[in-house]
Amino acid sequence: MTNDRKTRTRLVHDGIRRSQYGEVSEAIFLTQGFVYDSAEQAEARFDKLGEDEFIYARYGNPTVRMFEERLAAVEGTEDCFAAASGMAAVNAALMSMLKAGDHIVSARALFGSCLYIVEEILTRFGVDVTFVDGTDLDQWREAIRPDTKAVFMEMVSNPALEVIDLRAVAGLAHEVGATVIVDNVFATPIYTRAVELGADVVVYSTTKHIDGQGRALGGAICGTRGYIRKTLEPYLKHTGGAMSPFTAWIMLKGMETLDLRVRAQTAAAQELAEALSAHPRLSRVIYPGLATHAQHTVARDQMTGFGTVLSLDIAGGRDAAFRFLNALQIVTISNNLGDAKSIITHPATTTHSRLSEDQRAHLGIGPGLVRLSVGLEDPEDLLADLTAALDVT
């Protein structure tokens, strides 16, 4: 496909492979293995795979490859590898390139499972980790050393929605030859091409916006062909974290409406953030699209939209937050995000519960903070539901 086609077109058409039957919707190749015409052909494939050849589903599959090619095209990277979940993708992106004695610098504000991988697993295997406040460039500058192998961050943090100046951090990392690994879930491939800001490797939980309808777990790692095929692919092939063909088909179907869904959800999120920003039962409303957001200028510079998630800090702490959650009629209590349904969670007791109270406080996760992922419901209905629930806090 030519490179001048727009994102919405690529989300529908890129990567398509059709069988001899000429199907319109992408086929699901539910097979764990592939047949060879001869022993010589089997030998040749195990020696070197051709562009459209497969040997085992853990190594690759036509349906999975369609999804990988489509996401790489939209993300603007040379290649992509699909994984079983977002956390499998984060783990593989880091573990495949690091060894004992390597040094990485990571933003401190990470999703709980991401923090576990960086803080517990990497250090267990001898990787030296330095944590920084992701929004403080001086801390990045001080922490990055001549021998730093990689830097890792969520460009928009979960759940406090801090926005890191990716372009500036990438510049510091590249001065010493470090690889820049970015979790871009909150910004989405619709609003940020992270590679254009300096990212070398971009990681997604496709469970979120790419599926967008709460159906399946999935993950993806995008980067250069050399990194994906020489560093990442061997690790995932041999450790077994590949995406299933059925999941890949779900993700392909999700991508067809990704742009439309994310833009509608973002418009609603902006509307809700503005409407609730002065509510007397809220200590603060956190949304990058508000001028009051500490990194609003950075967000405006590196994102073409401000995302589908906002956080509300409810006056009265945990008890008031629980009363608010339990009073909601439309918004669903769950810990996913990016879904067609509006979803809300209390991070201090769910996604970030393993952190100490001091750690949560340092990350801006107070007892009254709730994270709201805005869905596709009518914004007026959502606002009515949220304000009615706030009345009981």
Side-chain angles (χ1 to χ4, degrees):
M1 177 167 285
T2 59
N3 290 328
D4 59 351
R5 293 190 177 179
K6 306 298 183 187
T7 296
R8 276 172 55 177
T9 305
R10 308 199 79 147
L11 284 165
V12 175
H13 291 286
D14 267 39
I16 284 182
R17 287 165 160 78
R18 289 194 170 94
S19 74
Q20 69 271 32
Y21 300 111
E23 61 278 348
V24 174
S25 181
E26 296 85 349
I28 310 175
F29 291 90
L30 288 177
T31 179
Q32 92 284 17
F34 299 85
V35 174
Y36 312 107
D37 294 335
S38 66
E40 289 80 7
Q41 186 185 69
E43 179 186 37
R45 287 195 187 178
F46 270 80
D47 180 57
K48 184 177 181 181
L49 277 176
E51 186 64 27
D52 201 33
E53 294 179 338
F54 304 92
I55 59 176
Y56 194 61
R58 181 156 45 86
Y59 296 8
N61 172 280
T63 311
V64 176
R65 193 66 190 135
M66 283 189 265
F67 169 62
E68 291 169 342
E69 289 183 355
R70 186 170 299 179
L71 182 55
V74 171
E75 191 63 32
T77 57
E78 292 177 350
D79 212 341
C80 172
F81 201 98
S85 69
M87 293 317 307
V90 170
N91 178 71
L94 292 164
M95 291 288 284
S96 65
M97 66 172 294
L98 296 172
K99 64 182 185 303
D102 284 343
H103 175 249
I104 74 163
V105 181
S106 173
R108 186 177 287 106
L110 297 174
F111 173 61
S113 294
C114 291
L115 186 63
Y116 181 83
I117 288 173
V118 175
E119 188 176 42
E120 300 286 341
I121 295 178
L122 292 184
T123 56
R124 186 185 307 164
F125 287 96
V127 175
D128 182 15
V129 179
T130 302
F131 285 103
V132 297
D133 177 345
T135 63
D136 188 335
L137 285 177
D138 288 336
Q139 289 191 30
W140 286 103
R141 190 174 289 110
E142 183 178 343
I144 294 172
R145 311 186 315 220
D147 65 338
T148 298
K149 186 72 176 291
V151 301
F152 176 62
M153 72 195 79
E154 296 171 358
M155 198 184 79
V156 181
S157 72
N158 177 10
L161 306 180
E162 295 178 346
V163 183
I164 293 176
D165 188 337
L166 174 55
R167 187 181 285 111
V169 174
L172 295 172
H174 289 157
E175 286 179 5
V176 300
T179 299
V180 179
I181 304 172
V182 178
D183 182 329
N184 199 45
V185 165
F186 277 55
T188 79
I190 302 304
Y191 292 137
T192 297
R193 276 194 168 189
V195 291
E196 294 178 359
L197 297 171
D200 300 301
V201 179
V202 186
V203 181
Y204 286 103
S205 169
T206 67
T207 312
K208 310 303 190 290
H209 302 91
I210 290 174
D211 172 15
Q213 290 155 83
R215 298 169 295 191
L217 295 174
I221 309 100
C222 301
T224 65
R225 185 158 289 111
Y227 168 81
I228 295 296
R229 296 303 153 188
K230 294 179 181 179
T231 300
L232 182 80
E233 181 182 25
Y235 180 85
L236 277 170
K237 280 168 58 174
H238 296 298
T239 57
M243 179 179 282
S244 78
F246 184 69
T247 296
W249 182 81
I250 289 174
M251 300 305 167
L252 282 163
K253 296 294 99 182
M255 289 191 78
E256 292 178 349
T257 60
L258 177 63
D259 188 280
L260 299 172
R261 287 185 285 106
V262 166
R263 292 188 189 280
Q265 290 166 300
T266 299
Q270 182 77 41
E271 185 176 334
L272 292 173
E274 292 175 357
L276 294 170
S277 60
H279 197 286
R281 303 291 177 91
L282 295 173
S283 301
R284 56 179 176 152
V285 174
I286 309 170
Y287 185 65
L290 294 177
T292 54
H293 189 282
Q295 293 90 42
H296 174 69
T297 301
V298 174
R300 190 176 57 196
D301 176 61
Q302 61 189 24
M303 299 166 65
T304 58
F306 297 111
T308 67
V309 178
L310 58 146
S311 289
L312 310 175
D313 204 346
I314 297 172
R318 176 188 179 279
D319 291 345
F322 275 31
R323 287 194 295 270
F324 167 71
L325 294 173
N326 292 336
L328 292 165
Q329 299 296 309
I330 296 174
V331 180
T332 303
I333 302 173
S334 187
N335 47 287
N336 194 23
L337 61 92
D339 199 281
K341 299 177 178 66
S342 290
I343 286 173
I344 199 162
T345 192
H346 183 251
T349 55
T350 58
T351 58
H352 291 72
S353 59
R354 65 173 290 271
L355 302 183
S356 69
E357 187 174 342
D358 287 343
Q359 286 176 307
R360 289 195 296 268
H362 188 75
L363 297 176
I365 306 171
L369 189 78
V370 296
R371 186 195 71 197
L372 172 63
S373 171
V374 179
L376 292 173
E377 302 93 344
D378 190 290
E380 290 186 15
D381 289 336
L382 291 176
L383 181 59
D385 191 33
L386 293 165
T387 52
L390 284 170
D391 286 342
V392 306
T393 61

